[in-house]
Amino acid sequence: MDFIEKIKQKVKNDPDKCRFYPGIDLERIKLFETAYGVQLPESYVRFITTFGGGLITEFESYYYIDMTDFEPDSPKMTSFYFFDFDELCEERLTLYLDNYLVEKDFDYNYPFIPIGKTPCQEYIFLVSEKLMDVDSPVLMSLNNHKSDDVKHLGNSFTDFMESYIKKDGLPPIPDIYEPGAKSNFLRKFEILSKAREKETEDEAITRCNALIELEPDDPWNYNERASALLKAGQRMAAIDDINKAIEMNPKEGFFYYHRGNLLSEYGSNRKALIDLDIAVKLSPDDNLLRSARAEVFYKLGKLDKALEDCNIIIEKDWRYELALSTRCRVYRAMGDDEKADADSELLDDLWW
């Protein structure tokens, strides 16, 4: 009997301790994989399309009655808990934005999939099988630490689930961990180097299409597709997506920056300035947005305005290269070669 049938038997025999959700449609799982550029283990896909997440509690339901009055999620906090589909998406995004388990400057296809948490609220996660030809192990973070402090809970999801069922929802956690185990595994299968491989233009658009279908109410998904469309030379379609993002969240300065930058690149600097003015007013402390406005001021010959924006940025961060580069050209246009040369030398020092 495989682990799916064993869970069904457990639910039948002990329904008071089993809190599993309805299964997730397979097409939605495939959409998730396409949207995030990952491949889930076949055994995990079978599990989540059958049960959709959930848990086996340590005690009978009456034990949690008083606790759930104050903390509705208390059973999750004391059990091995598998995320439902919405949590799966949300937690993956959280890990990606936190650069969890990767270096701080990692900005590529995130290869880890969080599938649940331990009773101590440590992540249980898998590795995308799109990047390797073996089953993903089930790993656990230690004290939610981002380093190499992880443990193997199972050599595969099937192994882990066999232990999970055998131990009535509380599989043993190893007392020790092998130092460097995560790094060694990632290095052996070249996980991070493969994750850094650039998408083709068509792959990027396909992924963004799936992301929008998966999460149509997130304006950032339209903004991301706009970037993919621009790389493919589809300018008007990109503008449509940026307009959609602005329509959905007119208070996000970055979207106006994105559209303003695009307008400037195609020579519409006066229209670009309107967007960049809005962007800076919405996010006055964002150096990227202000430096983009300084550049458009420069292109329009509004040198004093460009210099003012550059100085505001450089007073906060004298190493900010975009502002230094623009200010250097502004000084040169003003005929102040001495100050332009000083900025040029500073840029040379930063680059080297």
Side-chain angles (χ1 to χ4, degrees), residues 223 226 230 235 238-247 250 252-266 268 271-276 278-279 296:
N223 182 76
L230 278 175
R235 177 191 170 201
I239 289 179
D240 286 344
D241 269 353
I242 300 173
N243 289 342
K244 178 68 174 177
I246 291 173
E247 178 188 330
E252 176 51 61
F254 188 85
F255 298 153
Y256 294 94
Y257 155 79
H258 196 176
R259 188 171 67 183
N261 239 16
L262 177 58
L263 290 168
S264 179
E265 286 177 11
Y266 284 89
S268 300
K271 290 182 179 179
L273 184 57
I274 295 171
D275 273 341
L276 293 170
I278 297 172
V296 170

Side-chain angles (χ1 to χ4, degrees), residues 286-302:
D286 192 312
N287 289 344
L288 177 64
L289 277 54
R290 189 177 290 274
S291 65
R293 188 175 72 172
E295 180 66 20
V296 170
F297 275 139
Y298 168 74
K299 290 178 179 179
L300 290 171
K302 299 178 181 291

Side-chain angles (χ1 to χ4, degrees), residues 36 93 96-97 204 207-209 211-213 215-228 238 241-259 283 286 288-289:
Y36 295 121
L93 178 61
Y96 168 66
L97 293 177
R207 179 179 57 77
C208 290
N209 288 341
L211 196 57
I212 288 171
E213 188 176 347
E215 299 174 359
D217 297 328
D218 188 341
W220 287 98
N221 293 339
Y222 293 90
N223 182 76
E224 185 173 353
R225 187 170 68 179
S227 296
D241 269 353
I242 300 173
N243 289 342
K244 178 68 174 177
I246 291 173
E247 178 188 330
M248 295 174 73
N249 185 2
K251 299 296 184 181
E252 176 51 61
F254 188 85
F255 298 153
Y256 294 94
Y257 155 79
H258 196 176
R259 188 171 67 183
S283 305
D286 192 312
L288 177 64
L289 277 54

Side-chain angles (χ1 to χ4, degrees), residues 35 188 214:
K188 178 179 179 181
L214 193 64

Side-chain angles (χ1 to χ4, degrees), residues 33-254:
E33 292 180 313
T34 302
Y36 295 121
V38 297
Q39 180 179 330
L40 299 168
E42 186 274 336
S43 53
Y44 175 70
V45 171
R46 287 182 58 231
F47 169 74
I48 202 166
T49 52
T50 305
F51 298 105
L55 70 161
I56 298 174
T57 58
E58 183 176 6
F59 304 104
E60 306 295 332
S61 59
Y62 66 82
Y63 176 85
Y64 300 97
I65 291 175
D66 291 339
M67 284 188 284
T68 52
D69 288 341
F70 301 98
E71 178 51 74
D73 287 337
S74 57
K76 296 181 184 179
M77 308 288 282
T78 57
S79 308
F80 277 79
Y81 171 69
F82 297 101
F83 296 140
D84 65 23
F85 186 71
D86 288 339
E87 291 168 323
L88 182 67
C89 295
E90 290 169 7
E91 296 291 348
R92 185 205 169 275
L93 178 61
T94 297
L95 265 62
Y96 168 66
L97 293 177
D98 288 348
N99 285 330
Y100 195 89
L101 299 174
V102 293
E103 61 268 25
K104 290 182 179 180
D105 60 349
F106 187 89
D107 191 26
Y108 304 90
N109 183 27
Y110 189 72
F112 301 107
I113 304 105
I115 61 168
K117 286 191 173 181
T118 71
C120 295
Q121 298 303 288
E122 295 164 324
Y123 278 109
I124 306 168
F125 56 92
L126 303 167
V127 181
S128 170
E129 293 190 358
K130 184 176 182 179
L131 306 174
M132 56 190 180
D133 56 3
V134 298
D135 289 341
S136 168
V138 179
L139 304 173
M140 173 195 125
S141 60
L142 291 183
N143 301 315
N144 288 322
H145 200 276
K146 298 181 181 182
S147 73
D148 229 22
D149 295 340
V150 299
K151 292 183 179 181
H152 277 73
L153 296 181
N155 292 326
S156 68
F157 185 74
T158 298
D159 288 345
F160 173 67
M161 291 306 294
E162 290 288 350
S163 175
Y164 176 78
I165 299 161
K166 182 177 181 181
K167 296 298 182 179
D168 202 23
L170 289 170
I173 296 175
D175 291 333
I176 60 172
Y177 69 97
E178 179 187 349
K182 176 177 69 70
S183 291
N184 292 337
F185 178 84
L186 298 183
R187 187 163 43 248
K188 178 179 179 181
F189 293 101
E190 300 180 321
I191 300 299
L192 294 183
S193 61
K194 291 178 181 176
R196 292 187 184 93
E197 293 177 359
K198 291 183 178 180
E199 295 175 305
T200 66
E201 293 169 353
D202 287 344
E203 286 172 340
I205 293 171
T206 297
R207 179 179 57 77
C208 290
N209 288 341
L211 196 57
I212 288 171
E213 188 176 347
L214 193 64
E215 299 174 359
D217 297 328
D218 188 341
W220 287 98
N221 293 339
Y222 293 90
N223 182 76
E224 185 173 353
R225 187 170 68 179
S227 296
L229 290 166
L230 278 175
K231 290 179 182 178
Q234 300 182 42
R235 177 191 170 201
M236 297 310 298
I239 289 179
D240 286 344
D241 269 353
I242 300 173
N243 289 342
K244 178 68 174 177
I246 291 173
E247 178 188 330
M248 295 174 73
N249 185 2
K251 299 296 184 181
E252 176 51 61
F254 188 85

